[in-house]
């Protein structure tokens, strides 16, 4: 009887530790960078993501996502073209995707901390992304903000007046699969 009880407990723990699969239904991917002291805001579209997340066992979770680099939008047609085409920037014909893939997710003080491999222009670097997760009626929102150094991914070259720091804001709304 004792062995059966232990087996039932192990199965229960295993079932609850399984990460929930979430399907993105909308997203906002924004960035901001200072240029000659003025903040330039932009965004990307075309999110494709696999979200396996359980808030009770974040270490058993995994997140991977990519966006279409050609969707970069800064509300300035000339700047958009420059960012898409120039070698010092995204070269979207050669590098069409920007991607993130989790290596570890853990509980943080005010939510969660994801450690990701971020790939831009075939350069992969580790980034730390603090994020929140909220769920209501099988609908969830993942939201986080983090900073990167654009030079780590060979973005912007030595552009005069451009800050090295880029702030990235992510919000993904998803439904339970």
């Amino acid at each position: 009887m004792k062995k059966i009880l232990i087996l039932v407990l192990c199965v229960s723990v295993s079932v609850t530790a399984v990460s929930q699969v979430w399907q993105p239904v909308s997203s906002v991917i924004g960035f901001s960078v200072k240029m000659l002291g003025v903040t330039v805001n932009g965004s990307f579209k075309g999110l494709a993501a696999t979200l396996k997340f359980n808030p009770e066992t974040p270490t058993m979770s995994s997140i991977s996502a990519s966006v279409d680099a050609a969707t970069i939008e800064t509300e300035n047609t000339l700047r958009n073209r420059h960012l898409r085409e120039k070698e010092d920037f995204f070269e979207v014909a050669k590098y069409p995707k920007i991607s993130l893939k989790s290596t570890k997710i853990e509980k943080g003080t005010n939510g969660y901390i994801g450690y990701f491999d971020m790939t831009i222009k075939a350069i992969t670097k580790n980034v730390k992304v603090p994020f929140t997760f909220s769920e209501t009626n099988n609908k969830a929102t993942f939201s986080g903000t983090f900073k990167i150094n654009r030079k780590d991914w060979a973005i912007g070259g030595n552009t005069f007046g451009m800050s090295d720091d880029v702030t990235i804001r992510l919000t993904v709304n998803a439904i339970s699969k």
Side-chain angles (χ1 to χ4, degrees):
M1 183 68 167
K2 191 175 184 180
K3 287 182 182 179
I4 292 173
L5 180 59
I6 290 172
L7 179 61
V8 168
L9 286 173
C10 288
V11 169
S12 295
V13 169
S14 295
V15 169
T16 59
V18 173
S19 291
Q20 176 113 21
V21 177
W22 297 95
Q23 180 172 340
V25 292
S26 66
S27 63
V28 176
I29 302 150
F31 67 89
S32 57
V33 62
K34 293 261 188 200
M35 183 69 180
L36 297 171
V38 176
T39 300
V40 174
N41 292 302
S43 64
F44 289 94
K45 295 194 182 321
L47 176 79
T50 301
L51 309 169
K52 296 177 182 174
F53 185 76
N54 183 332
E56 301 303 318
T57 56
T59 57
M60 304 291 288
S61 301
S62 66
I63 297 172
S64 62
S66 66
V67 294
D68 182 355
T71 66
I72 192 166
E73 177 57 52
T74 64
E75 297 184 3
N76 180 308
T77 305
L78 183 60
R79 181 189 302 129
N80 292 344
R81 194 172 111 212
H82 187 86
L83 292 170
R84 289 179 187 124
E85 296 174 3
K86 298 290 183 179
E87 183 178 335
D88 279 348
F89 289 93
F90 291 97
E91 291 183 274
V92 300
K94 188 173 181 180
Y95 306 106
K97 298 285 180 197
I98 297 171
S99 65
L100 280 172
K101 183 175 179 167
S102 65
T103 58
K104 178 170 87 170
I105 299 173
E106 61 190 20
K107 185 85 171 122
T109 307
N110 296 316
Y112 303 89
I113 300 169
Y115 298 86
F116 292 87
D117 286 338
M118 183 172 181
T119 304
I120 303 172
K121 291 177 65 173
I123 300 169
T124 301
K125 299 279 183 181
N126 302 107
V127 295
K128 181 178 169 181
V129 180
F131 69 95
T132 59
F133 171 84
S134 59
E135 176 187 6
T136 306
N137 298 327
N138 293 323
K139 295 178 182 176
T141 300
F142 297 81
S143 186
T145 300
F146 62 104
K147 288 188 180 192
I148 63 169
N149 183 327
R150 66 179 176 82
K151 289 187 173 183
D152 289 345
W153 285 273
I155 300 295
N158 292 319
T159 303
F160 176 75
M162 182 185 284
S163 172
D164 294 343
D165 294 327
V166 178
T167 300
I168 300 172
R169 297 169 307 283
L170 306 167
T171 301
V172 178
N173 297 306
I175 56 172
S176 177
K177 265 185 147 180

